[in-house]
Amino acid sequence: TMNVTAAGLGVLGYLGLNILTKSTYSRTLQGDGKTETVKGTDALKHREIVDEDEVTLFKTGVSDAVEDTKAKLSQDPPHWGKTICMSNGTLTIDNVEALPEPLRKGLFSKNADYATVSRINVICDEKAGIAVPRIAIKIDYDKDVLNVYSPDGKAKEFDLLMCGGVPGENRPGHEFFFGNAKEMNMFAYIGRPSLATLGLVGMARNWPILAKVFGKVSAVVKAYVAEEFDKGVFGVTYFSLGPFACGEGIVKYSLQPKTGQHLLGKFLSVPTYIQGQKDGFVQWQKSNQDAEFDLMVQVATQDCIPEPKRGQHSKNAMATEMCDLHWDESKSPYVRVGTFKVKGAARDLCQDYQDFCPLQFNAWNTDKENRPLGQLFRMRRLVHENHAQWRVQHQYNRTPNAMVGKCPFAR
C-alpha cells in the first residue's frame, strides 16, 4: 500500500512540476498592456513583437514543411490539396468608404477594378476525414508590390489567400488553429511520430496547448462536415484566418458567396468529395452562372479583442501576433468593400498547363500597406516559399518562379 501511495504521489508530483513548468512550445507576449488606436478611430494599431529565437524557429518550420512534403510525395490526394480549378475573374473594390479613412491604404486606397486569376484547391486529410476548399486569388495590381518569388522582390501581383469556414457570426473556422510559430512547429513534430513524439505528448506542460489546438480543429471539422460538406466551391464562405495590416490598423478578410452555388450532395469520403467538387465545377460551367462573392473586411477594435491576461501584452500585440485569437464579430462586424466574380462558363486554365496550376501564391505577395502580421505569418512566408519551390521543381519537374509576371490575366 505504501509503495502504491508513494508511486501515486510521485506521479502527482511529476504532473504538478510539469504543469507549473512553462512549455517550450508556449509563447507569452510580455509588455505594459498599453492600448493604442489609430488616430480618430477605435481601430487598434498593429504592434509586432519579434522574439529572439525566431530565426531558429523558422528554420525548423521550413525544414519540417519540406521533409513532410518529401515524405508524402506519393500520397493521393496530397495533404496540401488537389486543385479543382484555375479561372479568370475580376475584383471590384467599390466601397472603401466602409473603412475608417486612415485605413484606406494599399488595395483599399481607392475604388477600382482589377483582373484576377484564382485557384481553388481542397486541403485534405483522408485519415481525419476532412477536406476543406481554399482559394488563392492573384490580382493584376496597378503597381509593383512585394513578391517573394521575383528575383528583384517585386511584381505587379497582389495575392489574397483564404480558407473555407462556417458562415455566420462568431462561428468556427474564422481564425487559425495555431496562435504562433511554436505551436505550428509542435504539431509538425507530432505529424512525424517517433519515440520523441511520445515524450512531447506525455509532458503535462504541453497538454493545454494540445487541448486548445485539437479543440479548435475538432470544432471546425464537426461544424464544417455537418453544414458545409455538401456545397460546391463557389458556395463556400472563405476566411483569411490571420491578421493583416491596413495602414496602421489590423484587419481580417472574408469572401461571402452571393450566388449560392448548387449543392453537390453529401460525400462519404475525402476522395469522393474532391471528385465531387471537380464534377461540380464542370456542372457550374455548363450552367453559365456567374460565381460572385462579397469581399468583406473586419477591423480589429478595442471592443472586439478580449482583455489581456495578467502580465500579457496589449490588445494591439494580441490582435497582431495571435493568429488564433477570436475577434468578436458582434462588436466589430465584417463590412463589404467589394465584389469578387468568376464569369459563368469560365475555362479551367489548368488545361493549358497539362492540368497543373503553375502559379505560386504567397500571402506576402502584397502591398506593404496590406502585409500579413504576426509571428506565424512571418514563418509561413518562408515555409510557403520553400514548400512551393520544392513541389514545383521536384514533384512537377517545372522551373520555380517561371510564372512571375506571366500570370494569364484576361486583360
Side-chain angles (χ1 to χ4, degrees):
T1 303
M2 290 182 63
N3 288 338
V4 172
T5 302
L9 289 173
V11 170
L12 290 174
Y14 168 78
L15 291 175
L17 182 62
N18 255 277
I19 291 171
L20 292 173
T21 305
K22 181 181 176 182
S23 169
T24 56
Y25 294 97
S26 67
R27 185 185 187 215
T28 302
L29 299 173
Q30 301 288 353
D32 57 13
K34 182 182 178 182
T35 297
E36 291 184 285
T37 57
V38 178
K39 187 177 180 180
T41 77
D42 63 349
L44 294 172
K45 282 186 176 182
H46 54 75
R47 185 182 300 165
E48 294 191 277
I49 308 294
V50 178
D51 295 344
E52 293 180 356
D53 62 351
E54 285 195 0
V55 172
T56 302
L57 269 177
F58 296 173
K59 284 182 179 178
T60 301
V62 170
S63 175
D64 285 342
V66 173
E67 290 303 315
D68 190 51
T69 301
K70 291 179 182 178
K72 297 177 179 177
L73 190 60
S74 60
Q75 179 179 310
D76 189 27
H79 70 292
W80 56 80
K82 276 276 194 181
T83 296
I84 303 302
C85 56
M86 180 172 71
S87 310
N88 288 117
T90 57
L91 176 66
T92 299
I93 304 296
D94 59 9
N95 193 31
V96 298
E97 296 78 15
L99 298 174
E101 195 278 331
L103 271 62
R104 298 173 197 168
K105 304 291 184 180
L107 181 63
F108 308 110
S109 63
K110 61 185 178 182
N111 290 328
D113 295 315
Y114 302 94
T116 66
V117 170
S118 60
R119 181 202 67 196
I120 298 181
N121 73 333
V122 174
I123 54 172
C124 50
D125 187 321
E126 190 168 355
K127 290 182 180 178
I130 182 61
V132 179
R134 65 181 173 181
I135 187 167
I137 303 171
K138 196 169 286 289
I139 300 167
D140 187 14
Y141 208 48
D142 54 9
K143 66 177 182 179
D144 282 324
V145 292
L146 304 171
N147 190 288
V148 301
Y149 304 115
S150 172
D152 63 358
K154 57 186 179 181
K156 290 185 172 69
E157 297 177 359
F158 187 123
D159 293 355
L160 287 174
L161 282 69
M162 303 187 208
C163 187
V166 181
E169 188 175 272
N170 294 324
R171 300 298 310 281
H174 297 195
E175 58 269 344
F176 205 45
F177 305 138
F178 308 117
N180 53 65
K182 290 184 176 182
E183 292 179 5
M184 190 169 182
N185 282 356
M186 179 187 195
F187 276 79
Y189 191 53
I190 292 174
R192 298 198 305 276
S194 65
L195 289 176
T197 307
L198 293 176
L200 183 154
V201 174
M203 288 186 181
R205 73 188 70 168
N206 295 328
W207 293 351
I209 299 173
L210 292 168
K212 182 197 72 169
V213 176
F214 277 124
K216 280 185 171 291
V217 172
S218 176
V220 173
V221 169
K222 184 177 180 180
Y224 194 87
V225 170
E227 302 177 34
E228 301 294 297
F229 219 46
D230 61 347
K231 292 182 179 177
V233 292
F234 291 134
V236 171
T237 302
Y238 296 91
F239 296 88
S240 65
L241 302 183
F244 292 77
C246 205
E248 291 184 308
I250 318 165
V251 300
K252 291 182 181 179
Y253 307 131
S254 177
L255 284 174
Q256 301 186 5
K258 296 176 66 175
T259 45
Q261 188 196 10
H262 58 275
L263 302 181
L264 302 180
K266 289 289 183 181
F267 298 99
L268 301 178
S269 68
V270 169
T272 57
Y273 178 83
I274 292 172
Q275 187 57 51
Q277 290 292 4
K278 293 179 82 70
D279 294 342
F281 176 75
V282 174
Q283 294 172 22
W284 169 81
Q285 285 179 307
K286 294 177 180 177
S287 73
N288 205 32
Q289 178 188 20
D290 294 350
E292 199 167 328
F293 294 81
D294 284 328
L295 175 60
M296 313 289 287
V297 173
Q298 184 189 19
V299 177
T301 63
Q302 291 194 72
D303 287 343
C304 80
I305 301 300
E307 292 296 325
K309 293 180 180 179
R310 188 173 182 178
Q312 284 195 341
H313 216 295
S314 61
K315 289 187 177 185
N316 301 80
M318 290 169 62
T320 303
E321 291 289 330
M322 298 169 65
C323 269
D324 63 343
L325 187 69
H326 174 67
W327 300 11
D328 191 335
E329 293 165 16
S330 68
K331 296 178 179 178
S332 179
Y334 278 92
V335 295
R336 181 189 168 280
V337 294
T339 301
F340 168 65
K341 182 185 291 186
V342 178
K343 292 290 290 182
R347 292 182 61 248
D348 181 3
L349 299 177
C350 289
Q351 295 172 357
D352 298 335
Y353 303 94
Q354 293 78 50
D355 290 326
F356 161 69
C357 175
L359 303 180
Q360 292 173 262
F361 296 88
N362 195 301
W364 285 89
N365 293 345
T366 185
D367 195 305
K368 65 180 180 179
E369 296 281 7
N370 308 121
R371 70 189 184 281
L373 296 171
Q375 185 187 76
L376 193 56
F377 266 126
R378 291 193 292 274
M379 182 171 79
R380 289 174 72 191
R381 172 181 182 167
L382 300 172
V383 167
H384 289 181
E385 178 184 1
N386 284 272
H387 177 264
Q389 304 284 52
W390 197 93
R391 269 196 306 127
V392 169
Q393 183 174 354
H394 297 285
Q395 184 183 8
Y396 298 114
N397 297 315
R398 306 295 179 94
T399 303
N401 310 337
M403 291 295 291
V404 176
K406 300 178 182 177
C407 184
F409 295 114
R411 295 186 173 95

